[in-house]
């Protein structure tokens, strides 16, 4: 599935204790993991992550005390068993602020056998407040017993057919930015006012494609500004921001020449 599908699915509020995120590239897998983490700590009952509660805001800024990402030690080929035991101890503790504690394991397929067995023990009897997210390029390297206890999310690269009106809006917005045409930007952004949350998500995808396609037409500084703006827009849609807010942000960020 695509990230946008995952976002829609999470919105219903149903959450599993453990996930394996695979498919696509490492960056997309991390984004998917972060999205689930936000949904897990969000205070809202539905439409998670809401993007506005205290937990969402902290998660968004990467400073939520109940979300951790465990990474392989530098220079180590695998996650070692000590790291997984330490994780187990932390997961057993009651979360500091949110209703759940989220533990993301990057490159989870790079756990040695001992580490996987330690992980398995956690998954067999997961603390009720804990969510584990295993990011894995090669999930077949995980023990079957580990895999069977996780909900597997297979991400597809984002190449969905986007709605024509979204593609048109993205093209108009990019064109106006390329020409330094502020009035054109204002006009293009007006089309965003009525967008639903999933549509906002797809619009940013369309914008990124268009920006990459035409990046050769921009000076390095203008290109960087556009891509940075799209990164921020991406974070906003992950936080479930509506089209009108997104439009206002894009306008403020992109209007005006250097
Ligand atoms: Zn929230």
């Amino acid at each position: 599935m695509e990230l946008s599908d995952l976002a829609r699915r999470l919105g219903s509020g149903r959450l599993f204790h453990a996930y394996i995120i695979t498919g696509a590239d490492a960056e997309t897998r991390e984004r998917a993991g972060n999205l689930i983490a936000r949904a897990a700590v969000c205070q809202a009952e539905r439409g998670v992550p809401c993007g506005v509660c205290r937990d969402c805001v902290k998660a968004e800024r990467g400073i939520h005390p109940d979300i951790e990402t465990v990474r392989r030690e530098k220079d180590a080929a695998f996650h070692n068993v000590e790291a997984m035991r330490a994780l187990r101890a932390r997961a057993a503790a009651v979360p500091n602020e949110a209703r759940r504690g989220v533990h993301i394991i990057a490159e989870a397929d790079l756990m040695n056998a001992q580490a996987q067995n330690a992980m398995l023990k956690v998954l067999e009897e997961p603390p009720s407040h804990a969510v584990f997210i295993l990011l894995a390029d090669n999930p077949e390297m995980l023990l079957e017993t580990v895999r069977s206890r996780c909900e597997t999310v297979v991400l597809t690269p984002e190449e969905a057919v986007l709605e024509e009106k979204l593609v048109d809006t993205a093209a108009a917005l990019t064109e106006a930015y390329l020409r330094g045409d502020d009035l054109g930007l204002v006009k293009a952004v007006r089309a965003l006012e009525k967008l639903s949350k999933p549509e906002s998500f797809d619009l940013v995808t369309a914008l990124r494609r268009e920006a990459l396609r035409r990046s050769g037409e921009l000076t390095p500084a203008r290109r960087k500004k556009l891509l940075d703006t799209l990164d921020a827009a991406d974070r906003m849609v992950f936080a479930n921001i509506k089209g009108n807010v997104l439009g206002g942000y894009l306008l403020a960020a992109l209007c005006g020449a250097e």
Side-chain angles (χ1 to χ4, degrees), residues 38-39 41-44 46-57 239:
R38 283 180 215 167
V41 298
C42 176
Q43 294 172 19
R46 301 202 139 250
V48 294
C50 73
V52 291
C53 72
R54 182 201 60 192
D55 292 289
C56 275
V57 171

mmCIF file with all atom_site columns, all heavy atoms in Angstrom, residues 38-39 41-44 46-57 239, ligand 1:
data_model
loop_
_atom_site.group_PDB
_atom_site.id
_atom_site.type_symbol
_atom_site.label_atom_id
_atom_site.label_alt_id
_atom_site.label_comp_id
_atom_site.label_asym_id
_atom_site.label_entity_id
_atom_site.label_seq_id
_atom_site.pdbx_PDB_ins_code
_atom_site.Cartn_x
_atom_site.Cartn_y
_atom_site.Cartn_z
_atom_site.occupancy
_atom_site.B_iso_or_equiv
_atom_site.pdbx_formal_charge
_atom_site.auth_seq_id
_atom_site.auth_comp_id
_atom_site.auth_asym_id
_atom_site.auth_atom_id
_atom_site.pdbx_PDB_model_num
ATOM   1   N  N   . ARG A 1 38  ? 2.909   8.421  15.433 1.00 0.00 ? 38  ARG A N   1
ATOM   2   C  CA  . ARG A 1 38  ? 2.061   9.578  15.749 1.00 0.00 ? 38  ARG A CA  1
ATOM   3   C  C   . ARG A 1 38  ? 0.631   9.157  16.030 1.00 0.00 ? 38  ARG A C   1
ATOM   4   O  O   . ARG A 1 38  ? -0.012  9.675  16.940 1.00 0.00 ? 38  ARG A O   1
ATOM   5   C  CB  . ARG A 1 38  ? 2.073   10.564 14.585 1.00 0.00 ? 38  ARG A CB  1
ATOM   6   C  CG  . ARG A 1 38  ? 3.342   11.359 14.548 1.00 0.00 ? 38  ARG A CG  1
ATOM   7   C  CD  . ARG A 1 38  ? 3.311   12.324 13.390 1.00 0.00 ? 38  ARG A CD  1
ATOM   8   N  NE  . ARG A 1 38  ? 4.649   12.450 12.863 1.00 0.00 ? 38  ARG A NE  1
ATOM   9   C  CZ  . ARG A 1 38  ? 4.945   13.008 11.706 1.00 0.00 ? 38  ARG A CZ  1
ATOM   10  N  NH1 . ARG A 1 38  ? 3.985   13.490 10.951 1.00 0.00 ? 38  ARG A NH1 1
ATOM   11  N  NH2 . ARG A 1 38  ? 6.178   13.095 11.307 1.00 0.00 ? 38  ARG A NH2 1
ATOM   12  N  N   . ALA A 1 39  ? 0.147   8.231  15.211 1.00 0.00 ? 39  ALA A N   1
ATOM   13  C  CA  . ALA A 1 39  ? -1.222  7.746  15.432 1.00 0.00 ? 39  ALA A CA  1
ATOM   14  C  C   . ALA A 1 39  ? -1.328  7.085  16.805 1.00 0.00 ? 39  ALA A C   1
ATOM   15  O  O   . ALA A 1 39  ? -2.348  7.194  17.483 1.00 0.00 ? 39  ALA A O   1
ATOM   16  C  CB  . ALA A 1 39  ? -1.616  6.764  14.334 1.00 0.00 ? 39  ALA A CB  1
ATOM   17  N  N   . VAL A 1 41  ? 0.372   7.722  19.616 1.00 0.00 ? 41  VAL A N   1
ATOM   18  C  CA  . VAL A 1 41  ? 0.428   8.612  20.789 1.00 0.00 ? 41  VAL A CA  1
ATOM   19  C  C   . VAL A 1 41  ? -0.687  9.657  20.778 1.00 0.00 ? 41  VAL A C   1
ATOM   20  O  O   . VAL A 1 41  ? -0.951  10.302 21.800 1.00 0.00 ? 41  VAL A O   1
ATOM   21  C  CB  . VAL A 1 41  ? 1.798   9.325  20.940 1.00 0.00 ? 41  VAL A CB  1
ATOM   22  C  CG1 . VAL A 1 41  ? 2.909   8.306  21.149 1.00 0.00 ? 41  VAL A CG1 1
ATOM   23  C  CG2 . VAL A 1 41  ? 2.096   10.244 19.772 1.00 0.00 ? 41  VAL A CG2 1
ATOM   24  N  N   . CYS A 1 42  ? -1.338  9.845  19.629 1.00 0.00 ? 42  CYS A N   1
ATOM   25  C  CA  . CYS A 1 42  ? -2.368  10.886 19.513 1.00 0.00 ? 42  CYS A CA  1
ATOM   26  C  C   . CYS A 1 42  ? -3.487  10.669 20.532 1.00 0.00 ? 42  CYS A C   1
ATOM   27  O  O   . CYS A 1 42  ? -3.873  9.541  20.826 1.00 0.00 ? 42  CYS A O   1
ATOM   28  C  CB  . CYS A 1 42  ? -2.941  10.879 18.103 1.00 0.00 ? 42  CYS A CB  1
ATOM   29  S  SG  . CYS A 1 42  ? -4.288  12.049 17.866 1.00 0.00 ? 42  CYS A SG  1
ATOM   30  N  N   . GLN A 1 43  ? -3.987  11.759 21.055 1.00 0.00 ? 43  GLN A N   1
ATOM   31  C  CA  . GLN A 1 43  ? -5.046  11.676 22.069 1.00 0.00 ? 43  GLN A CA  1
ATOM   32  C  C   . GLN A 1 43  ? -6.441  11.499 21.478 1.00 0.00 ? 43  GLN A C   1
ATOM   33  O  O   . GLN A 1 43  ? -7.378  11.162 22.192 1.00 0.00 ? 43  GLN A O   1
ATOM   34  C  CB  . GLN A 1 43  ? -5.043  12.954 22.913 1.00 0.00 ? 43  GLN A CB  1
ATOM   35  C  CG  . GLN A 1 43  ? -3.777  13.113 23.739 1.00 0.00 ? 43  GLN A CG  1
ATOM   36  C  CD  . GLN A 1 43  ? -3.700  14.471 24.412 1.00 0.00 ? 43  GLN A CD  1
ATOM   37  O  OE1 . GLN A 1 43  ? -4.711  15.158 24.564 1.00 0.00 ? 43  GLN A OE1 1
ATOM   38  N  NE2 . GLN A 1 43  ? -2.498  14.861 24.805 1.00 0.00 ? 43  GLN A NE2 1
ATOM   39  N  N   . ALA A 1 44  ? -6.575  11.753 20.176 1.00 0.00 ? 44  ALA A N   1
ATOM   40  C  CA  . ALA A 1 44  ? -7.905  11.661 19.561 1.00 0.00 ? 44  ALA A CA  1
ATOM   41  C  C   . ALA A 1 44  ? -8.344  10.206 19.450 1.00 0.00 ? 44  ALA A C   1
ATOM   42  O  O   . ALA A 1 44  ? -7.522  9.302  19.398 1.00 0.00 ? 44  ALA A O   1
ATOM   43  C  CB  . ALA A 1 44  ? -7.876  12.316 18.185 1.00 0.00 ? 44  ALA A CB  1
ATOM   44  N  N   . ARG A 1 46  ? -10.523 9.162  16.961 1.00 0.00 ? 46  ARG A N   1
ATOM   45  C  CA  . ARG A 1 46  ? -10.592 8.884  15.526 1.00 0.00 ? 46  ARG A CA  1
ATOM   46  C  C   . ARG A 1 46  ? -9.827  9.957  14.773 1.00 0.00 ? 46  ARG A C   1
ATOM   47  O  O   . ARG A 1 46  ? -9.491  10.985 15.329 1.00 0.00 ? 46  ARG A O   1
ATOM   48  C  CB  . ARG A 1 46  ? -12.048 8.873  15.047 1.00 0.00 ? 46  ARG A CB  1
ATOM   49  C  CG  . ARG A 1 46  ? -12.874 7.862  15.754 1.00 0.00 ? 46  ARG A CG  1
ATOM   50  C  CD  . ARG A 1 46  ? -14.107 7.467  14.964 1.00 0.00 ? 46  ARG A CD  1
ATOM   51  N  NE  . ARG A 1 46  ? -14.295 6.029  15.065 1.00 0.00 ? 46  ARG A NE  1
ATOM   52  C  CZ  . ARG A 1 46  ? -14.112 5.186  14.061 1.00 0.00 ? 46  ARG A CZ  1
ATOM   53  N  NH1 . ARG A 1 46  ? -13.741 5.616  12.886 1.00 0.00 ? 46  ARG A NH1 1
ATOM   54  N  NH2 . ARG A 1 46  ? -14.292 3.900  14.223 1.00 0.00 ? 46  ARG A NH2 1
ATOM   55  N  N   . GLY A 1 47  ? -9.591  9.676  13.493 1.00 0.00 ? 47  GLY A N   1
ATOM   56  C  CA  . GLY A 1 47  ? -8.877  10.664 12.688 1.00 0.00 ? 47  GLY A CA  1
ATOM   57  C  C   . GLY A 1 47  ? -7.461  10.890 13.180 1.00 0.00 ? 47  GLY A C   1
ATOM   58  O  O   . GLY A 1 47  ? -6.933  11.992 13.118 1.00 0.00 ? 47  GLY A O   1
ATOM   59  N  N   . VAL A 1 48  ? -6.844  9.807  13.694 1.00 0.00 ? 48  VAL A N   1
ATOM   60  C  CA  . VAL A 1 48  ? -5.482  9.932  14.194 1.00 0.00 ? 48  VAL A CA  1
ATOM   61  C  C   . VAL A 1 48  ? -4.471  9.790  13.047 1.00 0.00 ? 48  VAL A C   1
ATOM   62  O  O   . VAL A 1 48  ? -4.742  9.058  12.100 1.00 0.00 ? 48  VAL A O   1
ATOM   63  C  CB  . VAL A 1 48  ? -5.192  8.872  15.287 1.00 0.00 ? 48  VAL A CB  1
ATOM   64  C  CG1 . VAL A 1 48  ? -6.042  9.130  16.499 1.00 0.00 ? 48  VAL A CG1 1
ATOM   65  C  CG2 . VAL A 1 48  ? -5.395  7.463  14.769 1.00 0.00 ? 48  VAL A CG2 1
ATOM   66  N  N   . PRO A 1 49  ? -3.311  10.449 13.094 1.00 0.00 ? 49  PRO A N   1
ATOM   67  C  CA  . PRO A 1 49  ? -2.978  11.472 14.080 1.00 0.00 ? 49  PRO A CA  1
ATOM   68  C  C   . PRO A 1 49  ? -3.716  12.780 13.782 1.00 0.00 ? 49  PRO A C   1
ATOM   69  O  O   . PRO A 1 49  ? -3.813  13.180 12.639 1.00 0.00 ? 49  PRO A O   1
ATOM   70  C  CB  . PRO A 1 49  ? -1.456  11.639 13.891 1.00 0.00 ? 49  PRO A CB  1
ATOM   71  C  CG  . PRO A 1 49  ? -1.184  11.223 12.493 1.00 0.00 ? 49  PRO A CG  1
ATOM   72  C  CD  . PRO A 1 49  ? -2.220  10.201 12.135 1.00 0.00 ? 49  PRO A CD  1
ATOM   73  N  N   . CYS A 1 50  ? -4.223  13.412 14.850 1.00 0.00 ? 50  CYS A N   1
ATOM   74  C  CA  . CYS A 1 50  ? -5.055  14.608 14.652 1.00 0.00 ? 50  CYS A CA  1
ATOM   75  C  C   . CYS A 1 50  ? -4.208  15.813 14.241 1.00 0.00 ? 50  CYS A C   1
ATOM   76  O  O   . CYS A 1 50  ? -4.696  16.735 13.610 1.00 0.00 ? 50  CYS A O   1
ATOM   77  C  CB  . CYS A 1 50  ? -5.857  14.915 15.911 1.00 0.00 ? 50  CYS A CB  1
ATOM   78  S  SG  . CYS A 1 50  ? -4.874  15.581 17.274 1.00 0.00 ? 50  CYS A SG  1
ATOM   79  N  N   . GLY A 1 51  ? -2.937  15.793 14.638 1.00 0.00 ? 51  GLY A N   1
ATOM   80  C  CA  . GLY A 1 51  ? -2.042  16.880 14.235 1.00 0.00 ? 51  GLY A CA  1
ATOM   81  C  C   . GLY A 1 51  ? -2.082  18.089 15.145 1.00 0.00 ? 51  GLY A C   1
ATOM   82  O  O   . GLY A 1 51  ? -1.278  19.004 14.980 1.00 0.00 ? 51  GLY A O   1
ATOM   83  N  N   . VAL A 1 52  ? -3.012  18.114 16.086 1.00 0.00 ? 52  VAL A N   1
ATOM   84  C  CA  . VAL A 1 52  ? -3.122  19.314 16.926 1.00 0.00 ? 52  VAL A CA  1
ATOM   85  C  C   . VAL A 1 52  ? -2.977  19.057 18.421 1.00 0.00 ? 52  VAL A C   1
ATOM   86  O  O   . VAL A 1 52  ? -2.685  19.982 19.182 1.00 0.00 ? 52  VAL A O   1
ATOM   87  C  CB  . VAL A 1 52  ? -4.455  20.063 16.677 1.00 0.00 ? 52  VAL A CB  1
ATOM   88  C  CG1 . VAL A 1 52  ? -4.470  20.681 15.296 1.00 0.00 ? 52  VAL A CG1 1
ATOM   89  C  CG2 . VAL A 1 52  ? -5.645  19.152 16.853 1.00 0.00 ? 52  VAL A CG2 1
ATOM   90  N  N   . CYS A 1 53  ? -3.152  17.820 18.861 1.00 0.00 ? 53  CYS A N   1
ATOM   91  C  CA  . CYS A 1 53  ? -3.053  17.588 20.301 1.00 0.00 ? 53  CYS A CA  1
ATOM   92  C  C   . CYS A 1 53  ? -1.590  17.701 20.742 1.00 0.00 ? 53  CYS A C   1
ATOM   93  O  O   . CYS A 1 53  ? -0.678  17.706 19.917 1.00 0.00 ? 53  CYS A O   1
ATOM   94  C  CB  . CYS A 1 53  ? -3.646  16.227 20.681 1.00 0.00 ? 53  CYS A CB  1
ATOM   95  S  SG  . CYS A 1 53  ? -2.645  14.816 20.186 1.00 0.00 ? 53  CYS A SG  1
ATOM   96  N  N   . ARG A 1 54  ? -1.387  17.788 22.047 1.00 0.00 ? 54  ARG A N   1
ATOM   97  C  CA  . ARG A 1 54  ? -0.031  17.975 22.587 1.00 0.00 ? 54  ARG A CA  1
ATOM   98  C  C   . ARG A 1 54  ? 0.912   16.858 22.115 1.00 0.00 ? 54  ARG A C   1
ATOM   99  O  O   . ARG A 1 54  ? 2.055   17.091 21.736 1.00 0.00 ? 54  ARG A O   1
ATOM   100 C  CB  . ARG A 1 54  ? -0.111  17.982 24.121 1.00 0.00 ? 54  ARG A CB  1
ATOM   101 C  CG  . ARG A 1 54  ? 1.210   18.222 24.823 1.00 0.00 ? 54  ARG A CG  1
ATOM   102 C  CD  . ARG A 1 54  ? 1.151   17.727 26.253 1.00 0.00 ? 54  ARG A CD  1
ATOM   103 N  NE  . ARG A 1 54  ? 0.875   16.286 26.283 1.00 0.00 ? 54  ARG A NE  1
ATOM   104 C  CZ  . ARG A 1 54  ? 0.533   15.603 27.368 1.00 0.00 ? 54  ARG A CZ  1
ATOM   105 N  NH1 . ARG A 1 54  ? 0.376   16.217 28.506 1.00 0.00 ? 54  ARG A NH1 1
ATOM   106 N  NH2 . ARG A 1 54  ? 0.323   14.303 27.310 1.00 0.00 ? 54  ARG A NH2 1
ATOM   107 N  N   . ASP A 1 55  ? 0.391   15.619 22.119 1.00 0.00 ? 55  ASP A N   1
ATOM   108 C  CA  . ASP A 1 55  ? 1.242   14.495 21.733 1.00 0.00 ? 55  ASP A CA  1
ATOM   109 C  C   . ASP A 1 55  ? 1.609   14.536 20.249 1.00 0.00 ? 55  ASP A C   1
ATOM   110 O  O   . ASP A 1 55  ? 2.733   14.222 19.875 1.00 0.00 ? 55  ASP A O   1
ATOM   111 C  CB  . ASP A 1 55  ? 0.546   13.178 22.097 1.00 0.00 ? 55  ASP A CB  1
ATOM   112 C  CG  . ASP A 1 55  ? 0.463   13.007 23.608 1.00 0.00 ? 55  ASP A CG  1
ATOM   113 O  OD1 . ASP A 1 55  ? 1.506   12.778 24.220 1.00 0.00 ? 55  ASP A OD1 1
ATOM   114 O  OD2 . ASP A 1 55  ? -0.638  13.165 24.166 1.00 0.00 ? 55  ASP A OD2 1
ATOM   115 N  N   . CYS A 1 56  ? 0.637   14.905 19.417 1.00 0.00 ? 56  CYS A N   1
ATOM   116 C  CA  . CYS A 1 56  ? 0.933   15.020 17.984 1.00 0.00 ? 56  CYS A CA  1
ATOM   117 C  C   . CYS A 1 56  ? 1.992   16.085 17.729 1.00 0.00 ? 56  CYS A C   1
ATOM   118 O  O   . CYS A 1 56  ? 2.915   15.897 16.939 1.00 0.00 ? 56  CYS A O   1
ATOM   119 C  CB  . CYS A 1 56  ? -0.334  15.385 17.200 1.00 0.00 ? 56  CYS A CB  1
ATOM   120 S  SG  . CYS A 1 56  ? -1.333  13.953 16.757 1.00 0.00 ? 56  CYS A SG  1
ATOM   121 N  N   . VAL A 1 57  ? 1.843   17.214 18.424 1.00 0.00 ? 57  VAL A N   1
ATOM   122 C  CA  . VAL A 1 57  ? 2.779   18.319 18.206 1.00 0.00 ? 57  VAL A CA  1
ATOM   123 C  C   . VAL A 1 57  ? 4.193   17.901 18.604 1.00 0.00 ? 57  VAL A C   1
ATOM   124 O  O   . VAL A 1 57  ? 5.160   18.132 17.871 1.00 0.00 ? 57  VAL A O   1
ATOM   125 C  CB  . VAL A 1 57  ? 2.320   19.583 18.977 1.00 0.00 ? 57  VAL A CB  1
ATOM   126 C  CG1 . VAL A 1 57  ? 3.396   20.662 18.946 1.00 0.00 ? 57  VAL A CG1 1
ATOM   127 C  CG2 . VAL A 1 57  ? 1.012   20.103 18.393 1.00 0.00 ? 57  VAL A CG2 1
ATOM   128 N  N   . ALA A 1 239 ? 0.360   15.242 9.491  1.00 0.00 ? 239 ALA A N   1
ATOM   129 C  CA  . ALA A 1 239 ? -0.320  15.653 10.709 1.00 0.00 ? 239 ALA A CA  1
ATOM   130 C  C   . ALA A 1 239 ? -1.790  15.964 10.424 1.00 0.00 ? 239 ALA A C   1
ATOM   131 O  O   . ALA A 1 239 ? -2.460  16.595 11.230 1.00 0.00 ? 239 ALA A O   1
ATOM   132 C  CB  . ALA A 1 239 ? 0.386   16.861 11.314 1.00 0.00 ? 239 ALA A CB  1
HETATM 133 ZN ZN1 . LIG B 2 .   ? -3.248  14.094 18.057 1.00 0.00 ? 1   LIG B ZN1 1
#
